[in-house]
């Protein structure tokens, strides 16, 4: 086990009706004039918008609205939010939505007090010194951004869009102060969006699980528990979207998967996420759908560099019987069952399923090199992973 420091500082308020406490928690963390940040019209149709508004007004909190966040949030939209907050004197950012809305809020929060361009934190690796406090009302379990220190945005400047972390250094500064999580808010999610979120949760967990660091039994078992919990409850929520208990398990798993607890004492492998980021930046596909395509291809490409780790994954997560004479067969069966599980959720597992060809493989691969724990990938490796994902 390696040395680590972990600070899971986000307060979680979980359960039925907790969105009605939003104003109380904004006020508790010092918010007087809040940016109410959200995506499209779904929170208005569900009545969530009205409940959050009422809660904020009950605490005499001034409100500035900014809706319109799209999946794979755009850098220029974040810049608009920064400008709006400065003009209006906003002192708190409230994100009501899923990962894209939360990541957009994080970009705005860290950009407001900074005199330069917010993308400096990504491109120049400048460490931010300040950020506005952030609160979350979560509606889509997937990204885990509600309790994490990570946020990504798509930069559309230049010839090809690309997706990057908004903050690399001192990114603890963008971890939300609180996350309000009511599983009932996920009942109306479309099946495809639910499935994409499930894959994203599993990806965050697997990227920490697949490590070359030894003697990390506790976090191994935590990762396996999260994965098995998601696998057990996914078919239930797909068939019974209003099943509170199954939705609750998946919602909580999404936060645990990405708040860094599972990565303590170990080095993860985030190649698959970076490889997918290029897909969703250029082709604007759902992030979870892209991961369902890339994860099996990545696993098939790198498993030989740590066969025992992939064999353990097969046995402990997908209940494959260990072949002690040929662990490679066990490892491959685990990868096959993972891919089958994604298909059963209705996710694509090949690039051809989403009408993506090989035309931009070289361009995308250039942005993913020198990453990896199981194997540090070259441009050629990434191109080969894309090719495995093609058909």
């Amino acid at each position: 086990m390696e040395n680590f420091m972990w600070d899971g500082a986000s307060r979680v308020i979980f359960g039925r009706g907790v969105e009605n406490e939003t104003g109380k928690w904004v006020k508790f963390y010092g918010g007087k004039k809040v940016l109410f940040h959200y995506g499209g019209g779904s929170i208005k149709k569900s009545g969530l918008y009205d409940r959050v508004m009422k809660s904020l007004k009950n605490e005499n909190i001034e409100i500035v609205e900014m809706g319109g966040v799209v999946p794979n949030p755009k850098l220029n939209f974040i810049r608009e939010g920064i400008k709006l907050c400065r003009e209006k004197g906003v002192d708190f950012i409230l994100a009501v939505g899923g990962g894209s809305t939360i990541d957009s809020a994080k970009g705005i929060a860290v950009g407001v007090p900074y005199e330069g361009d917010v993308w400096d934190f990504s491109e120049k690796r400048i460490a931010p010194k300040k950020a506005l406090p952030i609160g979350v009302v979560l509606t889509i379990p997937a990204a885990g951004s509600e309790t994490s220190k990570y946020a990504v945005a798509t930069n559309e400047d230049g010839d090809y869009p690309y997706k990057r972390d908004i903050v690399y250094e001192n990114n603890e500064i963008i971890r939300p102060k609180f996350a309000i999580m009511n599983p009932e808010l996920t009942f109306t999610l479309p099946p495809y969006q639910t499935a994409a979120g499930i894959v994203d949760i599993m990806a965050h967990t697997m990227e920490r699980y697949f490590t070359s660091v030894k003697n990390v039994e506790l976090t191994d078992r935590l990762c396996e528990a999260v994965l098995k919990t998601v696998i057990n409850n996914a078919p239930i929520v797909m068939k019974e979207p209003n099943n509170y208990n199954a939705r609750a398990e998946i919602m909580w798993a999404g936060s645990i998967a990405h708040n860094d607890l599972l990565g303590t004492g170990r080095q993860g492998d985030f190649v698959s996420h970076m490889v997918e980021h290029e897909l969703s930046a250029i082709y604007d596909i759902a992030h979870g759908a892209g991961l369902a395509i890339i994860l099996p291809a990545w696993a098939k490409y790198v498993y030989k560099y740590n066969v025992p780790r992939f064999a353990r994954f097969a046995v402990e997560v997908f209940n494959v019987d260990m072949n002690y004479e040929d662990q490679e067969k066990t490892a491959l069966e685990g990868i096959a069952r993972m891919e089958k599980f994604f298909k059963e959720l209705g996710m694509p597992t090949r690039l051809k399923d989403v009408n993506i060809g090989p035309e931009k493989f070289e361009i995308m691969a250039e942005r993913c090199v020198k990453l990896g724990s199981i194997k540090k990938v070259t441009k050629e490796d990434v191109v080969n992973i894309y090719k495995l994902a093609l058909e």
Side-chain angles (χ1 to χ4, degrees):
M1 183 184 294
E2 296 186 350
N3 292 1
F4 68 89
M5 181 176 70
W6 181 69
D7 182 9
S10 299
R11 183 188 295 262
V12 173
I13 304 101
F14 193 103
R16 293 180 173 90
V18 291
E19 66 273 17
N20 296 311
E21 301 177 23
T22 304
K24 179 183 81 173
W25 291 111
V26 170
K27 187 174 182 179
F28 179 85
Y29 286 103
K32 297 177 181 177
K33 193 169 191 178
V34 63
L35 180 73
F36 186 169
H37 200 42
Y38 57 94
S42 61
I43 68 166
K44 293 185 177 180
K45 292 177 184 175
S46 69
L48 176 60
Y49 173 91
D50 290 335
R51 294 196 297 278
V52 172
M53 272 288 192
K54 180 180 178 182
S55 178
L56 293 170
K57 290 176 179 177
N58 285 346
E59 299 293 341
N60 297 314
I61 295 167
E62 291 186 66
I63 302 162
V64 177
E65 283 190 55
M66 187 181 183
V69 181
V70 297
N72 303 312
K74 307 300 186 279
L75 174 59
N76 285 331
F77 189 72
I78 290 171
R79 287 171 174 148
E80 291 175 21
I82 292 168
K83 181 181 177 183
L84 176 64
C85 287
R86 288 173 178 166
E87 290 173 351
K88 300 293 186 180
V90 165
D91 60 14
F92 194 99
I93 313 292
L94 178 67
V96 182
S100 294
T101 298
I102 302 165
D103 285 2
S104 180
K106 289 176 176 179
I108 294 169
V110 78
V112 170
Y114 179 60
E115 293 183 359
D117 182 69
V118 66
W119 206 238
D120 289 349
F121 300 126
S122 182
E123 291 286 296
K124 300 178 182 178
R125 297 296 202 271
I126 292 174
K129 296 178 180 177
K130 293 188 291 185
L132 297 184
I134 306 157
V136 173
V137 179
L138 184 66
T139 63
I140 306 171
S145 191
E146 65 275 6
T147 56
S148 85
K149 60 183 181 181
Y150 307 104
V152 295
T154 299
N155 188 336
E156 296 179 299
D157 300 338
D159 295 333
Y160 293 100
Y162 64 97
K163 190 187 285 189
R164 285 288 179 276
D165 280 50
I166 298 170
V167 179
Y168 285 92
E169 304 297 331
N170 193 30
N171 58 352
E172 193 67 47
I173 203 169
I174 61 170
R175 197 187 292 268
K177 297 296 183 185
F178 68 82
I180 285 175
M181 300 166 63
N182 177 359
E184 292 174 325
L185 301 179
T186 70
F187 287 178
T188 56
L189 286 175
Y192 191 88
Q193 200 168 19
T194 296
I198 288 165
V199 175
D200 199 4
I201 293 167
M202 293 180 67
H204 285 146
T205 309
M206 286 188 275
E207 285 156 354
R208 290 165 171 92
Y209 185 74
F210 288 112
T211 183
S212 296
V213 177
K214 299 185 184 302
N215 301 311
V216 283
E217 180 182 357
L218 175 61
T219 45
D220 273 349
R221 293 187 183 280
L222 289 173
C223 288
E224 290 159 2
V226 170
L227 288 168
K228 289 184 75 69
T229 297
V230 172
I231 290 166
N232 290 343
N233 285 278
I236 299 173
V237 298
M238 298 303 289
K239 292 177 183 177
E240 305 170 32
N242 290 0
N243 188 310
Y244 178 89
N245 290 323
R247 288 282 192 183
E249 296 284 2
I250 287 173
M251 183 175 247
W252 187 220
S255 284
I256 296 296
H258 204 41
N259 71 357
D260 286 327
L261 175 63
L262 303 184
T264 50
R266 58 202 294 146
Q267 292 291 325
D269 193 308
F270 293 88
V271 168
S272 54
H273 236 85
M274 295 306 298
V275 171
E276 194 293 319
H277 276 169
E278 301 308 318
L279 282 179
S280 52
I282 291 177
Y283 296 101
D284 209 27
I285 65 172
H287 180 49
L291 286 169
I293 296 166
I294 295 299
L295 267 170
W298 168 82
K300 291 171 193 173
Y301 191 76
V302 306
Y303 80 91
K304 288 187 178 181
Y305 294 91
N306 196 335
V307 171
R309 169 59 41 175
F310 281 87
R312 174 171 175 150
F313 170 75
V315 172
E316 299 294 340
V317 176
F318 280 102
N319 302 319
V320 178
D321 291 330
M322 176 65 84
N323 184 332
Y324 291 98
E325 295 180 356
D326 190 347
Q327 286 194 26
E328 186 172 348
K329 285 186 178 179
T330 306
L332 287 170
E333 177 60 23
I335 296 167
R337 291 193 189 184
M338 172 178 66
E339 189 171 347
K340 180 173 179 284
F341 178 75
F342 293 161
K343 283 183 180 178
E344 289 172 348
L345 289 176
M347 287 284 96
T349 55
R350 296 290 185 276
L351 289 173
K352 67 177 184 179
D353 296 340
V354 288
N355 300 315
I356 294 176
E359 297 80 14
K360 295 184 174 67
F361 284 0
E362 296 281 336
I363 294 165
M364 294 189 294
E366 288 176 356
R367 298 166 175 169
C368 303
V369 297
K370 297 180 181 177
L371 300 169
S373 173
I374 299 292
K375 181 189 189 309
K376 278 207 182 309
V377 293
T378 64
K379 178 181 175 182
E380 181 183 4
D381 290 326
V382 178
V383 169
N384 287 333
I385 291 169
Y386 282 131
K387 286 179 178 177
L388 272 176
L390 190 57
E391 296 189 21

